[in-house]
Every structure is written in structure tokens, then in C-alpha cells.
Amino acid sequence: MMMEINLLVGGPVKNWPDNLLIKKKTAVWAGADRGALYLVKNGIRPLLAIGDFDSATSRERKLIFAKSQRVITDQPEKDDTDTELAVRHLLIDYQAERINIYGATGGRLDHLLANLFFVMRPEFRPHLQKIFLFDRQNSISFFGPGHYSITRETDKKYLAFVLLTKVAKLSLYDEKYQLAAKSFAYPLSLASNEFVGQTASFSFASGVISVIQSKDLK
Amino acid sequence: MMMEINLLVGGPVKNWPDNLLIKKKTAVWAGADRGALYLVKNGIRPLLAIGDFDSATSRERKLIFAKSQRVITDQPEKDDTDTELAVRHLLIDYQAERINIYGATGGRLDHLLANLFFVMRPEFRPHLQKIFLFDRQNSISFFGPGHYSITRETDKKYLAFVLLTKVAKLSLYDEKYQLAAKSFAYPLSLASNEFVGQTASFSFASGVISVIQSKDLK
């Protein structure tokens, strides 16, 4: 069975997918910083709680320690975020094959961008296809060079190819807007594309691409 | 006098800085797509309204046309967003020396990333220091290679250096966490730094950096 772990980080609750902790109550969870507190307060017993929990009260810290299967309070390495520290442990200690990250958007943009960009660091680069971010109107996946076919999420309308680096020979084969082996010398968000059928296929020769499926809110 | 233009794009109102249109009622405004509608509905007569206004009702379209000093309904070029089309016109037709963009965050992430990354396109690259993005907890500026000193915004706590490309010889001279001519081979968000005094100075030799001042919400 694939080891799939959900990771809740500390972004605003209003940006979470609807009923996240209710729908995923029995899933495997880890929490970073305030994310760990949300989990234990909602009756979830995380595999791992990580962070310095500076902003928690002493009662909240006690709750995190009592209700988590393991707590790591190490200071992150310089330039590391709690998210990276958590992902590192989930990949190495728990051999996670898929990590769904929630709570990564909606607050400070430096946090959001750290949560998007860390996959490009050499340490995480081999694992980038295991890492997914979700919020209430976006789902984000990452790809290195190769040929891929992805499936439309039923509640999403838009499809974006966000070039996180320069990218060589990007082809979009069967989307609403197509490309034939086009190269880009700088990062760029190719937004507002759409699926035509239930799948979309693409390939590229070098660089890192984030694929975002999204919807407008009513 | 410096030509400073505010540009409202279509992101969610709840992400705007508090009382934005009240505080800036007498400023010079332009609106892209739904942003133009918000302006005219709030009694502001924009210099320019730009977009196809597809999502507007015919009554709303009439209002935009009646209350704007100029309306451009051209389809954006392929890969262009309404934001880019608006910024291009503001730079060329109005010789804008500073463009403050609001409404660029909080909804679809592909839009947010398009609004962050477009400054790196060759057309906008010479103007990137004229372009600023603001929301209720973040203010974002852009820099090409050089030596800079920036001033702390009184309501902000955190300072981030977001490397939008690979960056050579980044020095942070007087921040809480400092760097000495460090190079980075890939984009990265150096988040959660802080001002020590009222200014922060930094320099780098190549690449594009976005500086973000941010605060937590109460």
C-alpha cells in the first residue's frame, strides 16, 4: 500500500479545502507548527508534529505533546522552513510516497513561495512528484523533465503550467491552448489553459514545472 | 511630479489592504477586468479600464464604459494577462513611473504567480522597479542586480528575499539574518528575515529578487 501522508501547515483555515479535517479524519496526518495544533484540537492524532510551537500557549503545547505520536521541536536549519523539515522527515523516516500539503496558502506570501519553491532544492528535487499542495480553489503538482498525462479533477475548471525555472521544449498536446516544443528563458505562469477531455498530456526537456488545477469561487 | 498609478485587478476583495478604495479615493486609478468594475462601483473614475469584461452583466459593462476615462477591450496577446496588458499601457501611454497593483492575490494561484513572474519578461524587465504589489498582509517589490537600501513599513514585521531566478552574490548587510556574497543555483524564498533598524541594505550581481514585507494577521 502506498504510504500517503497529509501535512497541515499553519496557513489560514479559511483557505483550506471545504471540510478538510472532517473528510480526512481517518487519514494519516502530520502537522507543522500551528498545523499540528489544528490537528489535535480536531481529534486527529498526528504521526508527527514538528515546530518550535512558539505561538502556542503552554496548555496548547501540552495538548500537542499528549496527542501526537511523535514530536520534533528541533530548530530548522538556516533557510529551512517547518514545511521543509516536516517533508524531509516524512520522506526519510516514514518513506512517504505521496505528501499532500494543506494550509500553505492564504497568509504571508513569503511562506507560500517558500512552500512552492523548496521542491527545487537538490535535496527535494528527486522527490518533487511526491509533493502536492491543495487549498480551497487550487491543487498544485510538480514535474521534472519527461512526458506526462494528467487527469482532470472534477471540480476544477482551469489548468496552468507554471514554469518555476527556465524550461526547454515544452509541448502541450491536447489542451485548449497547445504548444509545440517551445522554450522559455525565464520563469513564467502560463495561466488559464483548460482541459479539452478528461486528461491533458505534456512534455518538456529541462527545468521544473508546477501544474495547477483551479476554479473560481462562487 | 512622479506619475504614480494604482491598478486594481480582479482578486478577492477580502485580500485587499483595509479600506483601500476609501483611503485612495482621490488617487489615480486603472482597473483590469473585474477590478475596473469595483472602481466605478465605488465612485472612482479610472484613467483606464482594460479587459473583455466577460463576467460583467450588460448593466455593469455600461457602467464601466460610462465612468472610465478610457476603455480598452482588446483581447490580450497569447500568454498575456489583463494585468500585463494594463501595465504595458500604463508604462507606454501614461509614462507611469510607479504602478501599485492591488487585487493580485487570494484567489487562483496561477493568477498570483502570473502577477509575480511577468516582471521577468524582457519587455518588463527594465521597468521592474516601478512595479509593486500589495495585499492586506504583504507588500512586494522587485529588484535587478545592484546595491539597495529599503525602508521598513511601519505595520510590517517580516522581511523576505524571494529569488525568482538563480542569483549570484547576494549580500544582506544589516538584517537580522545576514549573508555574504552567497550564490543560489535555483529560485528560493528566503523567508522570515527581519529589519534590525529602519532600513535594510542588500546587493546582488545577477538575477531577479522580489522583496516582501509582511505581517501576521491578528
Side-chain angles (χ1 to χ4, degrees):
Chain A
M1 205 182 111
M2 188 173 81
M3 185 59 173
E4 176 171 346
I5 304 178
N6 300 284
L7 171 64
L8 187 62
V9 300
V13 177
K14 67 177 179 350
N15 267 57
W16 296 357
D18 291 338
N19 302 315
L20 173 65
L21 297 188
I22 295 166
K23 284 183 185 162
K24 294 212 158 200
K25 187 134 191 160
T26 59
V28 177
W29 278 99
D33 206 70
R34 203 184 337 225
L37 183 63
Y38 287 127
L39 292 174
V40 297
K41 279 192 167 171
N42 282 278
I44 290 171
R45 187 172 159 79
L47 195 64
L48 178 67
I50 222 161
D52 56 19
F53 309 116
D54 266 356
S55 63
T57 64
S58 76
R59 176 179 295 213
E60 289 170 339
R61 284 177 67 97
K62 271 184 200 151
L63 188 68
I64 292 167
F65 276 76
K67 299 292 188 188
S68 302
Q69 296 177 54
R70 180 180 168 204
V71 179
I72 296 176
T73 57
D74 300 348
Q75 286 290 329
E77 295 285 301
K78 202 172 168 321
D79 300 347
D80 262 3
T81 64
D82 285 332
T83 306
E84 285 164 89
L85 191 61
V87 169
R88 181 179 302 132
H89 278 284
L90 297 177
L91 288 170
I92 296 172
D93 307 354
Y94 301 91
Q95 297 288 307
E97 291 162 273
R98 179 181 169 112
I99 301 173
N100 304 313
I101 304 176
Y102 303 90
T105 67
R108 283 169 48 196
L109 282 173
D110 54 342
H111 282 168
L112 164 62
L113 294 168
N115 289 333
L116 269 183
F117 286 175
F118 81 92
V119 298
M120 289 183 283
R121 299 178 78 165
E123 168 190 2
F124 296 106
R125 181 74 179 67
H127 304 285
L128 54 80
Q129 275 191 254
K130 301 174 187 166
I131 297 167
F132 299 82
L133 278 73
F134 297 94
D135 69 17
R136 63 194 302 242
Q137 63 183 125
N138 303 279
S139 75
I140 305 170
S141 52
F142 300 95
F143 297 88
H147 193 299
Y148 304 96
S149 174
I150 57 173
T151 301
R152 179 176 176 174
E153 297 174 20
T154 50
D155 66 330
K156 301 296 194 307
K157 177 169 182 190
Y158 303 103
L159 174 64
F161 296 87
V162 179
L163 320 184
L164 295 178
T165 60
K166 64 182 179 177
V167 162
K169 294 189 183 170
L170 174 62
S171 293
L172 306 178
Y173 297 100
D174 48 14
E175 294 78 0
K176 183 171 177 187
Y177 305 103
Q178 300 176 9
L179 285 179
K182 185 164 179 190
S183 294
F184 297 86
Y186 35 85
L188 191 66
S189 173
L190 301 171
S192 298
N193 210 330
E194 295 179 31
F195 285 82
V196 173
Q198 288 311 302
T199 60
S201 55
F202 62 98
S203 66
F204 60 107
S206 70
V208 176
I209 290 183
S210 171
V211 173
I212 303 182
Q213 295 195 42
S214 63
K215 61 180 173 185
D216 293 318
L217 287 183
K218 294 291 160 274
Chain B
M1 206 182 110
M2 188 174 79
M3 185 60 172
E4 176 171 346
I5 303 177
N6 300 284
L7 171 63
L8 187 62
V9 301
V13 176
K14 68 178 176 353
N15 268 56
W16 296 358
D18 291 338
N19 301 313
L20 174 66
L21 296 188
I22 295 166
K23 284 183 183 161
K24 294 213 157 200
K25 188 134 190 158
T26 59
V28 177
W29 277 99
D33 206 70
R34 203 183 341 222
L37 182 63
Y38 287 128
L39 292 174
V40 298
K41 280 193 167 172
N42 282 276
I44 289 171
R45 189 172 157 79
L47 194 65
L48 178 66
I50 221 159
D52 56 18
F53 309 116
D54 266 355
S55 63
T57 64
S58 76
R59 175 179 294 213
E60 289 171 338
R61 283 178 66 99
K62 272 183 197 152
L63 187 68
I64 292 167
F65 276 76
K67 300 292 186 186
S68 302
Q69 296 177 54
R70 181 180 168 204
V71 179
I72 296 176
T73 57
D74 298 350
Q75 285 291 328
E77 297 285 303
K78 203 172 167 323
D79 299 345
D80 263 3
T81 64
D82 284 333
T83 305
E84 287 165 88
L85 192 61
V87 168
R88 180 179 302 133
H89 278 285
L90 296 177
L91 288 170
I92 296 171
D93 306 354
Y94 301 91
Q95 297 287 307
E97 290 161 275
R98 180 182 168 112
I99 301 173
N100 304 313
I101 304 176
Y102 303 90
T105 67
R108 281 169 50 195
L109 282 173
D110 55 340
H111 282 168
L112 164 61
L113 294 168
N115 289 333
L116 269 183
F117 286 174
F118 81 92
V119 299
M120 290 183 282
R121 298 178 78 164
E123 168 190 2
F124 296 106
R125 183 71 180 69
H127 304 285
L128 55 81
Q129 275 192 254
K130 301 176 187 167
I131 296 166
F132 298 82
L133 277 73
F134 298 93
D135 68 19
R136 63 194 302 243
Q137 63 184 124
N138 302 280
S139 75
I140 304 170
S141 52
F142 299 95
F143 297 88
H147 193 298
Y148 305 95
S149 175
I150 57 172
T151 301
R152 180 177 174 172
E153 297 174 21
T154 51
D155 67 330
K156 300 296 194 307
K157 176 169 182 191
Y158 303 103
L159 174 65
F161 295 87
V162 179
L163 321 185
L164 295 178
T165 60
K166 63 181 179 177
V167 161
K169 294 188 184 171
L170 174 61
S171 293
L172 306 177
Y173 297 100
D174 48 15
E175 293 79 359
K176 183 171 176 186
Y177 305 102
Q178 300 176 10
L179 284 179
K182 185 164 178 192
S183 294
F184 297 86
Y186 35 85
L188 193 66
S189 174
L190 301 171
S192 298
N193 209 331
E194 296 181 30
F195 284 85
V196 173
Q198 287 311 303
T199 60
S201 55
F202 62 98
S203 67
F204 61 106
S206 70
V208 176
I209 291 183
S210 171
V211 174
I212 303 182
Q213 294 194 41
S214 63
K215 61 180 174 186
D216 292 317
L217 287 182
K218 295 290 158 273

